[in-house]
């Protein structure tokens, strides 16, 4: 099932997207939003599946290209949880280019950080860009997963049972801010209206093999990133097991799982985003984000 978010009659509603990714239909208002469904447990998802089948076969189906989809999730338990350096080639491409903040050796455990929820924008919304705030706006195509069951110290063998579904994300980062605040990444990852998320939430049962998803990012039609999730240093289950050790993960938590090589700051010469750039982020089986970088006053 593919769960999207849109506004109907001034109210935010959950919607279902068909298997071809070309049509959408709003679900009954009584089901609530996608955030409600994520937190509602198996009964809520079963009701959504039944409603989705009826809605997509009914008279109110709309062509997807005529609808403005919003971020599928808009109510967050906490900051967006994130993973750094989770593709080995990405870790290696940035060696010596981290402003003196290179680790002594390749990490043997996942590196986690967070970013503020006000970063989140929809699958076709503009990415805010303010050159007075930062001179180094960089793209990072990622797979995001959504927790559907609470758990603490989750065994790796059981970790994927806690995943409700997956989304496409782009962890747009401000590299100079990322380096300027003591090596902590929060500031350079938390600028408002800079993280596209969507285009819809694909439930885990739709994904045959989470370790075989192709992650891509194009900037102005040029392919900048292209890798398989099989190249992750730490697969999804390991990330969940490590992150949840002694720390409760709750239904609705969102975890970004890392970006592959090809980022702008690691190129020679470096390539950063600017006003007017079109960033297309896609993951095979999960959909595509299309976002324009637009000058915005943020300070």
């Amino acid at each position: 099932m593919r769960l999207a978010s849109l506004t109907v009659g001034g109210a935010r509603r959950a919607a279902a997207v068909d298997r071809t990714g070309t049509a959408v239909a709003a679900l009954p208002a009584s089901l609530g939003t996608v955030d409600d469904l994520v937190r509602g447990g198996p009964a809520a998802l079963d009701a959504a599946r039944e409603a989705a089948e009826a809605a997509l076969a009914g008279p109110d189906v709309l062509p997807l290209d005529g609808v403005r989809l919003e971020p599928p999730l808009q109510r967050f338990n906490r900051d967006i949880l994130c993973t750094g350096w989770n593709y080995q080639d990405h870790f290696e491409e940035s060696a010596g280019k981290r402003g003196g903040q290179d680790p002594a050796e390749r990490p043997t455990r996942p590196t986690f950080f967070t970013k503020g929820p006000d970063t989140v924008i929809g699958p076709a919304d503009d990415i805010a860009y303010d050159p007075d705030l930062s001179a180094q706006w960089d793209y990072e195509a990622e797979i995001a997963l959504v927790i559907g069951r609470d758990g603490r110290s989750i065994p790796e063998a059981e970790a994927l049972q806690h995943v409700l579904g997956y989304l496409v994300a782009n962890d747009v980062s401000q590299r100079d801010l990322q380096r300027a605040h003591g090596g902590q990444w929060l500031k350079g990852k938390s600028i408002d209206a800079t993280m596209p998320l969507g285009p819809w939430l694909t439930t885990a049962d739709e994904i045959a093999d989470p370790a075989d998803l192709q992650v891509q990012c194009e900037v102005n039609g040029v392919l900048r990133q292209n890798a398989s999730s099989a190249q992750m240093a730490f697969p999804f289950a390991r990330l969940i097991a490590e992150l949840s050790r002694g720390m409760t993960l709750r239904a609705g938590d969102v975890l970004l799982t890392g970006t592959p090589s090809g980022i702008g700051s690691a190129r020679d010469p470096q390539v950063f985003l600017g006003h007017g750039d079109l960033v297309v982020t896609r993951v095979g089986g999960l959909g595509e984000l299309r976002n324009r970088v637009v000058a915005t006053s943020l300070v």
Side-chain angles (χ1 to χ4, degrees):
M1 181 169 52
R2 297 173 174 182
L3 293 169
S5 181
L6 48 77
T7 294
V8 179
R12 187 158 51 89
R13 296 264 292 276
V17 177
D18 74 346
R19 290 186 176 276
T20 67
T22 60
V24 62
L27 300 183
S30 59
L31 293 178
T33 65
V34 178
D35 292 287
D36 296 324
L37 295 174
V38 166
R39 291 165 174 81
L45 288 179
D46 287 345
R49 286 192 180 91
E50 183 176 348
E53 184 175 349
L56 289 170
D60 297 322
V61 176
L62 299 171
L64 192 63
D65 58 9
V67 173
R68 177 185 175 272
L69 295 184
E70 301 172 0
L73 303 175
Q74 299 183 45
R75 189 174 82 239
F76 300 96
N77 302 326
R78 60 176 113 206
D79 273 7
I80 310 298
L81 304 167
C82 304
T83 313
W85 300 332
N86 198 28
Y87 288 75
Q88 297 289 11
D89 55 354
H90 169 54
F91 176 79
E92 292 164 359
E93 74 172 346
S94 297
K97 302 174 183 177
R98 300 186 177 99
Q101 296 174 359
D102 284 276
E105 58 186 16
R106 179 182 299 175
T108 57
R109 304 179 78 168
T111 299
F112 296 116
F113 62 95
T114 67
K115 61 189 295 150
D118 287 335
T119 59
V120 175
I121 59 175
D125 291 344
D126 294 337
I127 297 170
Y129 168 74
D130 189 340
D132 291 333
L133 181 67
S134 166
Q136 298 182 344
W137 299 67
D138 207 348
Y139 52 85
E140 292 192 26
E142 306 208 16
I143 300 167
L145 62 83
V146 181
I147 298 297
R149 289 172 46 195
D150 295 0
R152 182 179 67 204
S153 299
I154 301 167
E156 187 170 346
E158 302 173 12
L160 292 185
Q161 298 173 26
H162 289 256
V163 177
L164 185 144
Y166 302 90
L167 311 103
V168 184
N170 198 310
D171 179 23
V172 174
S173 305
Q174 293 69 44
R175 298 301 184 192
D176 41 7
L177 294 183
Q178 190 177 340
R179 314 296 181 214
H181 293 271
Q184 300 297 316
W185 296 354
L186 175 67
K187 180 63 179 176
K189 297 281 190 173
S190 294
I191 301 305
D192 289 356
T194 55
M195 192 187 86
L197 184 69
W200 43 72
L201 171 60
T202 302
T203 53
D205 58 298
E206 297 280 337
I207 305 303
D209 184 1
D212 188 28
L213 300 175
Q214 200 70 19
V215 182
Q216 296 182 326
C217 181
E218 292 180 3
V219 179
N220 298 329
V222 177
L223 186 63
R224 298 292 188 183
Q225 293 180 286
N226 186 21
S228 168
S229 56
Q231 297 170 242
M232 287 184 174
F234 308 104
F236 299 137
R238 174 77 182 279
L239 296 179
I240 294 168
E242 290 268 6
L243 186 58
S244 71
R245 184 173 172 81
M247 171 183 164
T248 300
L249 298 181
R250 300 196 181 280
D253 282 341
V254 176
L255 172 63
L256 270 61
T257 58
T259 197
S261 64
I263 60 169
S265 59
R267 292 179 174 271
D268 186 14
Q270 293 179 318
V271 178
F272 293 114
L273 299 175
H275 173 70
D277 287 345
L278 178 63
V279 181
V280 178
T281 315
R282 67 174 66 91
V283 177
L286 302 184
E288 178 180 279
L289 313 172
R290 297 180 67 86
N291 305 92
R292 184 76 62 179
V293 179
V294 174
T296 307
S297 178
L298 294 170
V299 295

